[in-house]
Amino acid sequence: MKRIIGNLAWTTASRLLDAAVRFLTVPIVLAHFGKLDFGLLALAYSIAVFLAIADFGLNVNAIRRLSEYLVAGDTAGAGRLVRACSYYYGWIGVVNFVAVVGVGTMGASWFNLEPAQARDFFWMMIALGFATLLYWCFAVHRQLIQAAGQLGWDERNNLVCTLGLALLVWWTVSGGLDVVNYFFASLAIGAIPIALRVWKVRRLIPGLSIGFQRDWQLFEPMV
C-alpha cells in the first residue's frame, strides 16, 4: 500500500508540475519565437506526440508479461523478453525514423512552408527521427520498471526533465536560441530518463546487459 500511495503521489506531482510549467512557458516561447516559428515548433511537437501514443498496444502487453516473470522470480526469462522487445521495438523505431524523415522531406508541400521554414522543419524531423529510434530501442526498460511497481521512481525522473525544460526556456530567451536548437535541446532533455532507466533495470535484473535478441516466439504473444 505504501508503494501504491507513493507512486500515486509522485505521478500526480509530476503531471501537475508539467502542466504548470507548460502553461507558464508557452506564452514566453511564443513571444520569443513569434507566431511563424512557434507554429513550426507546435507542428513538430504534434508529430512527436502522435509517435509517442502510437504504441500499438505493446506497452500494456509488455508490462503484463514482464510482471508475470517478476512475480514468478524468473529474472532470466524477464531478461530474455527485454532483449527480444528491444530487437523488435528497434525495428519499429527504424520504420518511424524513415516515416518522420519522409514527413520532413515533404514538409514544404504538405504544410505550405517557406524555404527557410522547410529547411528548419527538415532538421527538426531528422532530430525527432533519431529521438524516436532511441526511445523505441529502450522503451521496454520503462515497461519493466512499471512492471516492477517502480512508477514513482520513473516519475521523479520526469520531474527533473520538467525542471530542465523550464531552464531551457530561460536559456532560450536569455541566450537567443533559435527554434531548431531549442527543439534539439528539448529532445536531449527528454532522453535523460532513458539512461536512468537502463541503470535502474540493470539493478532490478543483475547481470542484464544492453542487447538485442531476435526471438519471435517470445515476442509474438504480445502482438
Side-chain angles (χ1 to χ4, degrees):
M1 180 61 69
K2 182 179 179 181
R3 175 177 292 182
I4 294 175
I5 295 175
N7 288 340
L8 178 62
W10 281 113
T11 301
T12 303
S14 175
R15 298 294 185 267
L16 290 176
L17 181 62
D18 183 70
V21 168
R22 293 182 187 279
F23 178 78
L24 295 173
T25 57
V26 164
I28 299 173
V29 175
L30 173 59
H32 177 75
F33 287 128
K35 293 182 179 179
L36 291 179
D37 281 346
F38 182 81
L40 192 67
L41 191 64
L43 175 61
Y45 277 129
S46 66
I47 296 173
V49 170
F50 172 77
L51 294 175
I53 63 177
D55 67 353
F56 313 106
L58 292 173
N59 186 63
V60 174
N61 289 337
I63 292 173
R64 178 178 61 82
R65 288 185 58 79
L66 287 168
S67 296
E68 293 173 354
Y69 280 115
L70 294 178
V71 170
D74 186 2
T75 56
R80 289 194 301 272
L81 183 57
V82 166
R83 287 188 288 271
C85 287
S86 295
Y87 178 84
Y88 291 103
Y89 285 1
W91 279 110
I92 296 175
V94 170
V95 172
N96 280 346
F97 176 84
V98 173
V100 169
V101 172
V103 172
T105 303
M106 302 301 295
S109 59
W110 285 2
F111 305 112
N112 195 28
L113 302 177
E114 298 294 330
Q117 285 186 308
R119 182 184 63 251
D120 289 345
F121 183 69
F122 174 76
W123 287 111
M124 292 165 76
M125 291 298 97
I126 291 291
L128 178 60
F130 278 112
T132 302
L133 178 60
L134 181 68
Y135 165 80
W136 272 108
C137 285
F138 296 98
V140 68
H141 291 77
R142 184 171 188 266
Q143 294 162 354
L144 180 60
I145 289 171
Q146 292 179 348
Q150 300 290 328
L151 182 60
W153 179 90
D154 197 50
E155 291 297 338
R156 288 198 293 271
N157 297 331
N158 291 334
L159 279 172
V160 174
C161 290
T162 300
L163 295 175
L165 290 174
L167 291 175
L168 174 60
V169 172
W170 171 81
W171 182 30
T172 300
V173 174
S174 61
L177 284 182
D178 60 27
V179 66
V180 175
N181 285 321
Y182 174 85
F183 188 71
F184 285 3
S186 67
L187 293 178
I189 292 173
I192 294 175
I194 294 177
L196 295 175
R197 289 166 189 155
V198 172
W199 172 81
K200 182 68 172 180
V201 165
R202 294 187 68 180
R203 296 192 66 183
L204 291 173
I205 303 180
L208 177 65
S209 58
I210 297 175
F212 302 87
Q213 178 181 341
R214 188 176 62 179
D215 190 339
W216 176 248
Q217 290 184 340
L218 190 61
F219 184 78
E220 183 182 13
M222 295 197 302
V223 180

